Amino acid sequence: MKIKKVLVTGGAGYIGSHTCVELLQEGYDVVCADNFVNSSPIAMDRVAQITGKTIPVHELDFCDYPAVKKFFTNETVDAVIHFAGHKAVGESVENPLKYYENNLLSLINLCKAMGKDIRKNLVFSSSATVYGFPDQLPIEEDSPVDSFNPYGRTKLFIEQILQDIWATDNAWNISILRYFNPVAAHPSGLIGEDPAGIPNNLMPYIAQVAIGRLERLRIFGADYDTPDGTGVRDFIHVVDLAKGHVAAMRKLETSPGLMVHNLGTGRGYSVLELVNTFAEVNNVQVPYEIVGRRPGDVAANYASTDKAKKELGWEAQCGIRQMVLDTWNWQSKNPNGYSFD
Ligand code: NAD
Ligand code: UD1
């Protein structure tokens, strides 16, 4: 079945906004629904500025089932890409119910409402966090899964829920995408990552140190069993990641059933390599200090990309230099993200 119209939940967020751009540029009709709990409607104006296309944006909380049901009575879409959810690991440890409620309920409400329709095409944002502490690298999709925090468990539970839904009703076509470490921004510098408060993740932290909003980066551990002792991650440019969603959507048109794919580059870089490349390529200072390990961190992880290449015909194109360049372009043009104060 040809997919023409796509609902992007959480479409105003970091990955959602970049995916809206790629979908529009590929000629899809796009509808966005978001409750803006962690995003700004300005992102959607910027999407329109980049693409020259304005899309309908609905303020909608996916935890509100009557509202979700009403939305689907008024809008007919061929597929849904579900980004809406909370994503901060530390906060999920402090407030697990917030995570279980929002992430699980929004998914359940969405699937219940979609289940009343014949177009049961869904792409879901999972995470490499479901691999826990990997026992082999690169990580393949059939590696054992585990999780050590409530955020990660919401991803694992949802993957299981989707397996169960599909097992009872093969009319569903479901793509589970396990992202590695999304970074960077659209090369226009108009959309990018705008974390609320102090960033938890490495790249936005580096960018905010470089712009002078934060004093120095703390590198969590330099005593790992890695080439320079700092953690190694598979950083993937958010535009490549967004294109991975378009590839997954195309695959859904062939009624593949339930699929699981890694979205990564297959190449790991250390924290120090990223910091040094950022400083060198952008000609900026990134002061840092080495501190103790962060609990729950793995030494190294990077994806096996073979399955996505073979089955989705997709592979990441951007290297680390492009990633740091585009991050700085976004950060320096928008020092306070989407807020102008
Ligand atoms: P984000 O916070 O920027 O985007 C999520 C969007 O969902 C936000 O716009 C938020 O307002 C919206 N939202 C949250 N709860 C909602 C609800 N109940 N109803 C409607 N809208 C709601 O996060 P992101 O980085 O774009 O991540 C998107 C998805 O990808 C999330 O599910 C996240 O867990 C997953 N993911 C992200 C990363 C990452 O590093 N960014 C890595 C792996 C997986
Ligand atoms: C983290 C989450 C993961 C989630 C992903 C995307 C944890 C344990 N894992 O992955 O579940 O899917 O974000 O949201 O939180 N680092 C520093 N200093 C910093 C920040 C990070 O040294 O200020 C290091 C970390 O120790 C790690 C690397 O940078 O080695 C990457 O960290 P981060 O960007 O937070 O991503 P992950 O931990 O890989």
Side-chain angles (χ1 to χ4, degrees), residues 168-224:
T168 53
D169 180 358
N170 289 174
W172 282 88
N173 288 297
I174 300 173
S175 162
I176 293 174
L177 299 176
R178 294 174 178 161
Y179 315 153
F180 278 68
N181 287 57
V183 294
H186 192 267
S188 62
L190 286 167
I191 53 172
E193 189 169 11
D194 182 17
I198 296 175
N200 301 305
N201 296 120
L202 179 61
M203 187 70 113
Y205 206 109
I206 294 175
Q208 292 198 11
V209 169
I211 201 88
R213 273 173 74 174
L214 296 168
E215 198 184 328
R216 69 165 60 82
L217 172 72
R218 290 179 309 141
I219 294 184
F220 299 134
D223 56 351
Y224 284 107

Side-chain angles (χ1 to χ4, degrees), residues 87-90 126-130 149 151-152 179-183 193 199-206 217-221 224 230-233 235 271 274 289 291 293-299 301:
K87 62 166 181 178
V89 173
S126 189
S127 166
T129 196
V130 301
N149 56 67
Y151 165 72
Y179 315 153
F180 278 68
N181 287 57
V183 294
E193 189 169 11
N200 301 305
N201 296 120
L202 179 61
M203 187 70 113
Y205 206 109
I206 294 175
L217 172 72
R218 290 179 309 141
I219 294 184
F220 299 134
Y224 284 107
T230 65
V232 167
R233 294 291 184 276
F235 300 102
V271 172
L274 188 71
E289 62 178 322
V291 299
R293 294 182 180 192
R294 182 172 68 178
D297 272 352
V298 298
N301 75 353

Side-chain angles (χ1 to χ4, degrees), residues 55-298:
I55 62 174
V57 180
H58 299 264
E59 186 163 354
L60 177 62
D61 182 349
F62 280 86
C63 291
D64 178 352
Y65 184 62
V68 175
K69 211 166 69 172
K70 189 164 163 227
F71 171 85
F72 280 101
T73 334
N74 298 331
E75 276 279 7
T76 307
V77 297
D78 303 315
V80 179
I81 305 184
H82 184 53
F83 292 109
H86 294 323
K87 62 166 181 178
V89 173
E91 189 190 38
S92 81
V93 174
E94 282 156 26
N95 196 349
L97 284 181
K98 176 175 175 181
Y99 276 67
Y100 289 124
E101 181 176 33
N102 193 51
N103 292 5
L104 296 182
L105 195 55
S106 59
L107 178 280
I108 290 167
N109 284 344
L110 174 68
C111 291
K112 261 167 66 183
M114 285 175 73
K116 300 191 185 310
D117 198 285
I118 48 158
R119 287 165 284 270
K120 299 174 183 173
N121 296 313
L122 177 67
V123 178
F124 173 66
S125 301
S126 189
S127 166
T129 196
V130 301
Y131 294 117
F133 287 92
D135 52 13
Q136 61 162 54
L137 293 171
I139 305 174
E140 291 175 359
E141 285 83 349
D142 58 4
S143 302
V145 290
D146 203 348
S147 181
F148 304 103
N149 56 67
Y151 165 72
R153 275 188 280 276
T154 67
K155 295 297 178 191
L156 269 185
F157 292 160
I158 290 173
E159 288 200 7
Q160 191 60 62
I161 290 170
L162 293 176
Q163 294 272 2
D164 290 341
I165 290 175
W166 181 75
T168 53
D169 180 358
N170 289 174
W172 282 88
N173 288 297
I174 300 173
S175 162
I176 293 174
L177 299 176
R178 294 174 178 161
Y179 315 153
F180 278 68
N181 287 57
V183 294
H186 192 267
S188 62
L190 286 167
I191 53 172
E193 189 169 11
D194 182 17
I198 296 175
N200 301 305
N201 296 120
L202 179 61
M203 187 70 113
Y205 206 109
I206 294 175
Q208 292 198 11
V209 169
I211 201 88
R213 273 173 74 174
L214 296 168
E215 198 184 328
R216 69 165 60 82
L217 172 72
R218 290 179 309 141
I219 294 184
F220 299 134
D223 56 351
Y224 284 107
D225 184 15
T226 59
D228 64 20
T230 65
V232 167
R233 294 291 184 276
D234 185 340
F235 300 102
I236 174 169
H237 197 298
V238 66
V239 172
D240 276 331
L241 191 77
K243 288 181 174 160
H245 290 73
V246 177
M249 285 249 319
R250 291 233 166 85
K251 189 70 184 180
L252 289 184
E253 292 182 346
T254 66
S255 302
L258 185 139
M259 335 176 267
V260 180
H261 293 101
N262 288 338
L263 294 186
T265 66
R267 162 97 213 246
Y269 284 95
S270 76
V271 172
L272 259 182
E273 279 178 299
L274 188 71
V275 172
N276 291 334
T277 311
F278 192 101
E280 180 215 314
V281 169
N282 296 315
N283 197 21
V284 290
Q285 306 271 327
V286 183
Y288 66 82
E289 62 178 322
I290 310 281
V291 299
R293 294 182 180 192
R294 182 172 68 178
D297 272 352
V298 298

